[in-house]
Amino acid sequence: MLSRPSGTVRTCVLLGVLATSGVAILELVREQTGTPGFFVGLGLALFPVPALMAAFRWLGRVSPGPWPCLLYCFGWGACAAALIAILANSFATEWIAAATADPSDADQLGSVAIAPVVEESAKAAALLLVFLFRRRLLTGFTDGFVLAGFTATGFAFTENILYLGNAFGEDLGSGTAALDSLTAATFFVRIMLSPFAHPLFTVLTGLGFGAAALCGRRSARIGLPLLGLALAMGAHALWNSSSELGEYGFYLVYGCVMVPVFVLLAVLAVRLRQRQLRAVGSELAVYAAAGWLSPVEARALASMPARALARSLARHAGGRPARRVVLRYEADAAELALLRYRARRGGPARVPEFAERERELLRRIWLRRPQAGPALIRAAMMEELVPPVLPPAVVPPVVPAAVVPPVVPPARTGVRRSVPWIPARPADPSSSHRPYALPGADGPR
């Protein structure tokens, strides 16, 4: 019986696929646009990329996903998905033109019926691979939102190079002035007016995968991503057909469909972020009661301004190494809280995953707490999340990374400590951690 390939083998295969498709798509685009058009399109297509990536990264900052996964999604969209789309769309359009003997009808049918299916399916493949092989990185709506956004941003980047490069080539041949050029019009429509189009479509697929990650039934895990993909294809087809709806069809679809859906998804993104922060605060309170961190730290970890301030304080005191320790502490604590939140809501089906992952996250939090804890407490006090417990002169400074003492958990006593960041009932991560009752789960963990 063949064994399942290891993670290293899968990673190498994936990198090989992305590298090969990247070289192929660059050559295809350069061949279609010409070398001057390729470089002009490349420069202009870069404009919306940083803003879009920053927006999706902001959404996922509560429990940030690893950059390699985000870059994989961007690379898949820009290379593999774009290559699949170009080849499949070209083949389908040529086949329809040969069958109908009408190239104009073939282009129209390909744009409305073929391109949305091919492109959205190619982008969804990136999310499917994460869902199958890195399920821990796709744990809910927010993760699906972020991963889909990065994938679609990469796809739109390559597609914009093609459109802008072709427009520049036509302007170069006709000698059109810059302001009246097809390049300027294409830049305005694709970069200024609708840079969110592809992310908007693919986010619907991402929400389907995010919902599937929260479901235990097999039918839901299959049906919800397919439902999201169908919605993405429908929205994409409607957008592509806007130019066929008359002189004002584009503006009608843009104003009555695209903008309202964009606003709705933006509001949903903000609400998802706020719900994550509330879950972090409430779930970390359980671990604070058990002594793994202080209640003040739990409040700071549920506030993005306090977390940013804690990183700034750590860097000021201990440099970049200290900032990295606080950053990883914050990420681990948020992941722990959201892990417990999902386990409490998901019931017995998630208990095995919960127990193993919880133990690992608690160990990492305990080891980094001597440095990260004081920074978070000072940040919480400066942000006025809690009333000051000690005079400012008594609050200990952030400990630089080079002088952090070995972690020796204090003995459990019945006397409450006066210093707020020392746990009242600490648990020793080297032994079996204290069992916690998960409401909605099958017994204590």
Side-chain angles (χ1 to χ4, degrees):
M1 183 175 178
L2 296 176
S3 60
R4 187 177 182 180
S6 65
T8 303
V9 172
R10 293 198 299 266
T11 301
C12 292
V13 170
L14 182 60
L15 290 176
V17 169
L18 291 180
T20 303
S21 59
V23 172
I25 191 65
L26 287 177
E27 181 57 26
L28 278 176
V29 172
R30 190 199 63 79
E31 182 179 345
Q32 293 190 29
T33 62
T35 302
F38 172 78
F39 284 106
V40 170
L42 177 64
L44 296 177
L46 279 171
F47 272 86
V49 172
L52 289 171
M53 293 179 71
F56 288 112
R57 184 62 173 171
W58 172 87
L59 174 60
R61 287 298 299 177
V62 175
S63 181
W67 269 110
C69 182
L70 300 180
L71 294 178
Y72 146 74
C73 288
F74 181 87
W76 181 276
C79 300
L83 180 63
I84 294 171
I86 287 181
L87 296 178
N89 288 340
S90 299
F91 173 80
T93 302
E94 291 175 2
W95 182 82
I96 295 172
T100 61
D102 190 343
S104 61
D105 284 348
D107 289 338
Q108 179 181 350
L109 184 60
S111 173
V112 176
I114 304 299
V117 175
V118 171
E119 294 176 9
E120 295 307 322
S121 298
K123 289 182 283 184
L127 304 176
L128 178 62
L129 291 175
V130 175
F131 187 77
L132 293 177
F133 298 109
R134 289 290 186 271
R135 180 74 61 87
R136 185 169 58 83
L137 302 178
L138 210 169
T139 58
F141 293 107
T142 303
D143 292 329
F145 211 116
V146 173
L147 296 179
F150 270 81
T151 304
T153 299
F155 184 89
F157 169 65
T158 300
E159 190 179 69
N160 286 337
I161 296 175
L162 182 61
Y163 277 90
L164 291 165
N166 284 332
F168 179 78
E170 293 186 27
D171 292 334
L172 197 63
S174 62
T176 308
L179 294 179
D180 297 328
S181 65
L182 182 60
T183 305
T186 305
F187 180 84
F188 176 74
V189 172
R190 297 190 65 88
I191 305 300
M192 303 298 295
L193 202 60
S194 58
F196 57 84
H198 273 290
L200 184 150
F201 308 144
T202 313
V203 156
L204 298 175
T205 307
L207 291 175
F209 274 102
L214 297 174
C215 294
R217 292 179 300 172
R218 182 181 178 85
S219 59
R221 291 201 303 268
I222 297 175
L224 290 173
L226 290 177
L227 175 61
L229 179 60
L231 293 175
M233 291 176 180
H236 196 158
L238 178 62
W239 174 248
N240 284 2
S241 65
S242 61
S243 60
E244 309 297 332
L245 300 178
E247 182 180 358
Y248 299 104
F250 170 80
Y251 301 102
L252 181 66
V253 172
Y254 183 82
C256 297
V257 179
M258 295 293 287
V259 171
V261 173
F262 170 77
V263 172
L264 180 64
L265 288 176
V267 172
L268 175 62
V270 173
R271 287 185 175 272
L272 288 173
R273 194 173 192 263
Q274 292 173 342
R275 188 177 72 171
Q276 276 193 319
L277 286 172
R278 288 195 297 269
V280 168
S282 61
E283 301 297 339
L284 287 182
V286 177
Y287 295 100
W292 289 97
L293 68 165
S294 72
V296 181
E297 289 176 69
R299 293 192 184 184
L301 289 165
S303 167
M304 297 307 292
R307 284 165 60 166
L309 180 57
R311 296 192 299 270
S312 177
L313 292 171
R315 180 171 183 175
H316 180 74
R320 292 184 178 179
R323 182 186 180 278
R324 282 195 295 269
V325 169
V326 176
L327 179 64
R328 291 170 182 168
Y329 181 84
E330 293 172 349
D332 289 340
E335 183 181 348
L336 175 65
L338 296 176
L339 176 71
R340 181 182 176 84
Y341 179 75
R342 294 192 301 272
R344 185 166 55 82
R345 291 169 60 91
R350 299 192 181 276
V351 168
E353 172 195 352
F354 170 80
E356 179 181 356
R357 187 62 182 163
E358 181 199 42
R359 186 174 292 106
E360 172 62 20
L361 289 171
L362 285 173
R363 185 187 68 82
R364 283 154 51 174
I365 287 171
W366 186 267
L367 293 177
R368 294 185 178 124
R369 188 177 172 226
Q371 181 178 358
L376 284 163
I377 291 169
R378 293 185 66 191
M381 292 180 178
M382 294 173 69
E383 289 289 326
E384 299 181 351
L385 299 178
V386 291
V389 179
L390 295 176
V394 186
V395 176
V398 180
V399 182
V403 296
V404 174
V407 177
V408 180
R412 180 178 300 176
T413 66
V415 180
R416 186 171 181 83
R417 309 279 179 171
S418 59
V419 183
W421 52 85
I422 297 180
R425 294 173 302 173
D428 185 355
S430 62
S431 61
S432 297
H433 63 271
R434 186 176 174 183
Y436 307 121
L438 285 174
D442 186 18
R445 297 303 319 149

